[in-house]
Every structure is written in structure tokens, then in C-alpha cells.
Amino acid sequence: MPPRQTSVGDTILRGKKVVVLTGAGISAESGVRTFRDNDGLWENHRIEDVATPESWARNPSLVWKFYQTRRRQLLEVEPNPAHMAVAHLEGKCKSLVLVTQNVDDLHERGGSSAIIHMHGSLRSLRCQNTGLSEVRMGEHDLAEGFVLCNCCTVATMMRPDIVWFGEIPLEMSVIQKEVEDCEVFIVIGSSGHVYPAAGLVNLANSNGAHTILVNFELPINGRDFDEVHIGKAGEILPELVENW
Ligand code: NAD
């Protein structure tokens, strides 16, 4: 059966426990490229060359350069109306937990609070020795050269604070519990290809939540949602939120 296309305004979130999961699509209208373009590349790189622990071990200079470019880009982009709409949603429900697969900081700058960055964050770097993260966005931190930590007696090289393919996403037990407990689960701008995030809709469904998708196109798991809104998040989400 095709997913139900609903009209604006037929879901009331007031008084509900809500979990929102966002993906790269919510930042697309801010000028941040999504993950896979039609050619299967991310910013002209194969995922295996820049987003795995193996690629870091094999060619740290390439991986570092790739993420330093993404980190510097944060200074040039701004949150768009979809980020603002998610922040606005907080005041409309009983509770809202925002889980993002995004590594940018546009939800923070769009006004959301208590964001779970399940795939890490571009703003911070992680000591390879202790595993401690530090926010490092100074001019020197964004230059081409590697950055050393402040936590070790003998300063250690830091890695991007990103969860790469083959690594375990952050705060999974908290995320699973929140999704199990929520009454409404909303996914915005995600292709449904990257697990375990893509499977959370099934967890929400099996616990009786109402599931909603807002995406530019019907993704691979689009039929798992009770309600689907197709369009650019920055264009359709503000009105949806206004009516929810
Ligand atoms: P994805 O790139 O695999 O899929 C993005 C989805 O968003 C697609 O289905 C696309 O149709 C949709 N989309 C594109 N423009 C949209 C718009 N304006 N409004 C609504 N939907 C739109 O993204 P994913 O599922 O999040 O998986 C990507 C992985 O890559 C994540 O792990 C993430 O950490 C990482 N990533 C993050 C960023 C970021 O932080 N902004 C950017 C690229 C990749």
C-alpha cells in the first residue's frame, strides 16, 4: 500500500512526547551537500576513502584535509527555515528529543536545545590517546596542519570527532529508549540508507508511535511511515510545524 499523503494540519503534537531524527537533507538548503550525490560520491570522494577508520589509518592527510574543509565550511553557512521550525516545535509538544545524524552545528544555531549528535560533530576533535573531545574551532585549529590535544602530558594528534562507517554511533541506548517511549517520531531529510538510524522508524512503529516523514523524495524506507510529506524541508516544514 502506498504511504498516506496527508494534508497540512491533520496531526496535533500538542501534549505529545516527540522524537525528531534529522539527516543531511535538512541542511541541504543551507548549502551543505548531502551524503550521496547521483554519482555515489560525497563531495567528490568515495565514502571508503574519507569516512572509515581504515581510510584514517591508510591516509590521514587526505581524511584530515576532507574534514578540515567541512569544518571551515561551518563558518560560511547559516541555519535555514527548517532548522528554525524544528526549534519552534520544542515549545509545541510535551517533550521533544532531537537526534541528528548531521555533524554540522546548524540545529544549535537554529535555536534547538539538547541535541544528540549520534554521528559526532565537526566542531570538536578527539584525542587519539584518551578519546576525549575538545571543541576546537580557532584559526589554528582550522588550518591545514594536524591539531594536538590539550589533555595528554605529551600532546597527541587528534582525529575528527566523527563516527565513521564501522564505528558505533553515540548515545545509542539513550536514543533507543527515547524512540521506544515516544508517541510521535518524525524523520526529516534522511535517505534511510545509513543504519542504525534508518531502523529507528521500525522501533517507533513497533511501540505504537505515529511516524512522520518529511523528505525531498520518497526514500528507500518511505513506506515504513504512517504519514509522508514530500518537498524541501525549508519550504514545507515551517507550515507543517505551524499547524501541528
Ligand atoms: P543522505 O545524504 O543519505 O540523504 C539525504 C536525504 O535528504 C535524501 O533522501 C534527499 O532526498 C533528502 N533531501 C535533500 N534535500 C532535501 C531538502 N531540501 N529537504 C528535505 N529533504 C532533502 O543523508 P543521511 O540519511 O543523513 O545520511 C548521511 C550521513 O552523512 C549521515 O551519517 C551524516 O552524518 C553524514 N552527513 C552529514 C552532513 C551534515 O552534517 N550536514 C552532510 C552530509 C553527510
Side-chain angles (χ1 to χ4, degrees):
M1 208 168 70
R4 194 155 50 87
Q5 288 272 357
T6 51
S7 62
V8 169
D10 71 351
T11 306
I12 301 298
L13 300 188
R14 214 170 296 280
K16 298 267 169 58
K17 287 169 81 172
V18 178
V19 172
V20 175
L21 170 70
T22 63
I26 197 168
S27 296
E29 288 157 87
S30 294
V32 183
R33 299 264 296 271
T34 57
F35 200 30
R36 287 176 201 79
D37 285 324
N38 291 336
D39 51 10
L41 301 179
W42 185 9
E43 298 276 2
N44 302 322
H45 291 277
R46 291 190 321 148
I47 277 92
E48 313 85 78
D49 291 340
V50 292
T52 61
E54 292 77 21
S55 56
W56 175 243
R58 198 169 50 237
N59 193 346
S61 298
L62 173 73
V63 175
W64 185 252
K65 199 167 160 228
F66 177 80
Y67 281 100
Q68 287 297 78
T69 307
R70 311 272 82 72
R71 278 158 48 72
R72 282 194 293 269
Q73 190 194 22
L74 293 183
L75 305 178
E76 293 157 16
V77 295
E78 297 293 336
N80 69 57
H83 296 104
M84 316 284 194
V86 171
H88 185 48
L89 200 53
E90 276 182 29
K92 300 198 91 175
C93 18
K94 185 171 164 196
S95 68
L96 185 142
V97 174
L98 174 57
V99 181
T100 187
Q101 298 171 81
N102 292 348
V103 292
D104 65 46
D105 60 355
L106 294 175
H107 279 304
E108 283 86 345
R109 288 159 55 201
S112 286
S113 54
I115 302 149
I116 301 177
H117 279 273
M118 67 184 291
H119 291 163
S121 165
L122 287 169
R123 290 181 56 81
S124 50
L125 296 172
R126 196 189 311 160
C127 171
Q128 295 215 98
N129 183 26
T130 63
L132 292 176
S133 299
E134 294 174 32
V135 173
R136 298 289 293 263
M137 287 294 286
E139 203 176 316
H140 292 303
D141 302 323
L142 296 172
E144 290 294 302
F146 290 114
V147 171
L148 299 178
C149 74
N150 289 315
C151 57
C152 296
T153 320
V154 179
T156 305
M157 192 170 122
M158 301 189 92
R159 57 164 270 182
D161 199 9
I162 301 293
V163 176
W164 285 321
F165 283 92
E167 298 182 321
I168 298 167
L170 307 173
E171 302 198 50
M172 270 321 287
S173 55
V174 176
I175 294 169
Q176 272 163 352
K177 177 152 191 348
E178 294 293 350
V179 172
E180 277 166 11
D181 286 352
C182 76
E183 296 167 281
V184 181
F185 180 67
I186 306 172
V187 175
I188 306 162
S190 185
S191 65
H193 279 287
V194 180
Y195 279 82
L200 292 173
V201 62
N202 306 114
L203 184 62
N205 279 330
S206 62
N207 283 280
H210 182 68
T211 52
I212 304 176
L213 174 74
V214 179
N215 209 62
F216 182 59
E217 63 198 351
L218 191 69
I220 189 166
N221 63 348
R223 286 167 198 284
D224 294 339
F225 292 83
D226 296 318
E227 185 180 324
V228 173
H229 300 273
I230 297 293
K232 290 189 175 180
E235 292 174 4
I236 65 171
L237 193 62
E239 194 181 345
L240 287 167
V241 167
E242 216 44 61
N243 287 288
W244 279 342

